[in-house]
Amino acid sequence: MDLRLDGKTALVTGGSAGIGKGIAKAFADAGAQVMITSRKAEKCEAALVDIGGDSDYIASHIGQLEEAERVIDGTIERFGAVDILVNNAATNPWAGPMIDCDVPRLDKTYEVNLRAPLQWTQTAWQKWMQENGGSVINISSVGGFTTSEALGVYCMFKDALMHMTRQLAAELGPKVRVNCIAPGLIRTDFAKVLWDGPRGKMISDMLPLRRLGEPEDIGEAALYLSASASWMTGNTLTIDGGELIRIAGELPLEDG
Ligand SMILES: NC(=O)c1ccc[n+]([C@@H]2O[C@H](COP(=O)([O-])OP(=O)(O)OC[C@H]3O[C@@H](n4cnc5c(N)ncnc54)[C@H](OP(=O)(O)O)[C@@H]3O)[C@@H](O)[C@H]2O)c1
């Protein structure tokens, strides 16, 4: 099926790199007008060359409260709509046990990874989607399904983002669908420490699909959720090469 988004406008947070750029490119290739946002203007400008199509940027820090309104107004001004919102940008300022996380880093993770997706969805709803309909896609993580030695705080908010997806889907239907993607390990700068060098090969060897993810894998899923999936809302698509279902850590059966 050739999925198209002609005539639609998408706003992708964190669209200047990694997964967000992969999603923005998939949308632009499918004919959408695409607005990306991230903190650094020069990074956004460079990304537009790869994204191509009818794309533009407004530099913004999604955790700052006044920014949602400014960027969503700017998108409507530039392209006339916000039909698709992808809450993709996230941060991880703390690596270590949750029990040791200090309040400033806890607050920062909350502000960028959870409060911003809610606030940006509220603003898109108020300014466009309530009247005109639309689709929201939140980018969570397989970490939201599990515990973790070093990423516990990050994973907690990724789990909460999946719940937010269900809650908002229940509230915003039938005009607006809200879905989520939980990626496994994707080869981006954000996750480089997890896949660079021999560790990456060890991980891909453990996966049923024997390779790490690429931003394009998530772009494909986001295109499906926005251009098709018309009877799907409140759901999370796990795109992880089989990480969550791999056979691991099982006690051997007793003989006989
Ligand atoms: N990579 C993985 O393995 C993986 C796995 C599961 C889930 N995820 C999730 O996927 C999403 C994207 O991750 P990624 O790996 O693509 O990261 P990435 O390569 O580091 O890209 C992050 C993007 O977000 C922007 N950004 C960061 N903080 C921002 C802020 N406060 N305001 C606005 N923009 C901001 C960055 O640009 P600027 O520096 O210009 O702001 C960049 O465009 C995140 O939600 C992450 O949790 C990633």
Side-chain angles (χ1 to χ4, degrees):
M1 191 171 25
D2 185 21
L3 298 178
R4 299 294 306 170
L5 287 172
D6 302 290
K8 299 288 182 194
T9 295
L11 169 59
V12 183
T13 72
S16 70
I19 290 172
K21 192 166 89 173
I23 293 171
K25 179 155 176 49
F27 287 177
D29 288 349
Q33 299 168 312
V34 181
M35 181 66 82
I36 62 166
T37 188
S38 88
R39 290 164 301 181
K40 300 175 193 99
E42 65 284 2
K43 208 164 140 183
C44 290
E45 199 150 356
L48 292 186
V49 177
D50 296 332
I51 294 165
D54 196 1
S55 55
D56 207 343
Y57 76 90
I58 301 173
S60 164
H61 184 319
I62 61 157
Q64 292 173 355
L65 285 173
E66 62 287 355
E67 290 297 87
E69 187 162 341
R70 185 177 69 83
V71 175
I72 286 165
D73 280 348
T75 305
I76 294 170
E77 206 170 290
R78 171 70 173 83
F79 288 128
V82 182
D83 303 300
I84 301 158
L85 169 67
V86 183
N87 288 307
N88 164 74
T91 189
N92 183 39
W94 172 246
M98 180 186 282
I99 197 74
D100 296 328
C101 182
D102 57 58
V103 169
R105 277 182 280 198
L106 182 68
D107 284 353
K108 181 160 173 75
T109 317
Y110 160 68
E111 284 168 18
V112 175
N113 295 11
L114 195 64
R115 188 183 72 186
L118 176 57
Q119 195 215 353
W120 284 60
T121 305
Q122 289 172 325
T123 309
W125 165 258
Q126 288 153 10
K127 293 195 172 263
W128 182 261
M129 292 183 179
Q130 182 171 20
E131 188 76 21
N132 303 286
S135 167
V136 176
I137 300 171
N138 295 318
I139 305 301
S140 178
S141 166
V142 289
F145 295 117
T146 62
T147 53
S148 164
E149 208 168 309
L151 301 175
V153 169
Y154 169 85
C155 293
M156 170 176 70
F157 291 119
K158 288 301 190 185
D159 187 13
L161 188 58
M162 290 191 259
H163 188 83
M164 184 197 294
T165 300
R166 291 190 288 272
Q167 180 64 35
L168 289 177
E171 293 182 10
L172 304 189
K175 279 214 150 173
V176 174
R177 293 181 304 109
V178 186
N179 288 296
C180 186
I181 298 172
L185 189 54
I186 309 293
R187 290 195 322 123
T188 69
D189 283 351
F190 180 72
K192 197 164 183 177
V193 62
L194 300 175
W195 57 259
D196 208 18
R199 201 174 187 279
K201 166 97 172 77
M202 279 167 61
I203 292 174
S204 61
D205 284 350
M206 288 186 324
L207 295 176
L209 296 184
R210 300 286 189 277
R211 70 168 175 85
L212 300 181
E214 301 293 338
E216 294 74 20
D217 293 310
I218 308 305
E220 210 171 74
L223 182 59
Y224 166 69
L225 288 177
S226 52
S228 187
S230 65
W231 206 48
M232 177 174 172
T233 197
N235 230 311
T236 296
L237 280 182
T238 300
I239 311 286
D240 68 346
E243 181 183 336
L244 285 188
I245 53 81
R246 80 191 172 89
I247 297 164
E250 211 173 10
L251 291 175
L253 292 170
E254 280 178 29
D255 287 343

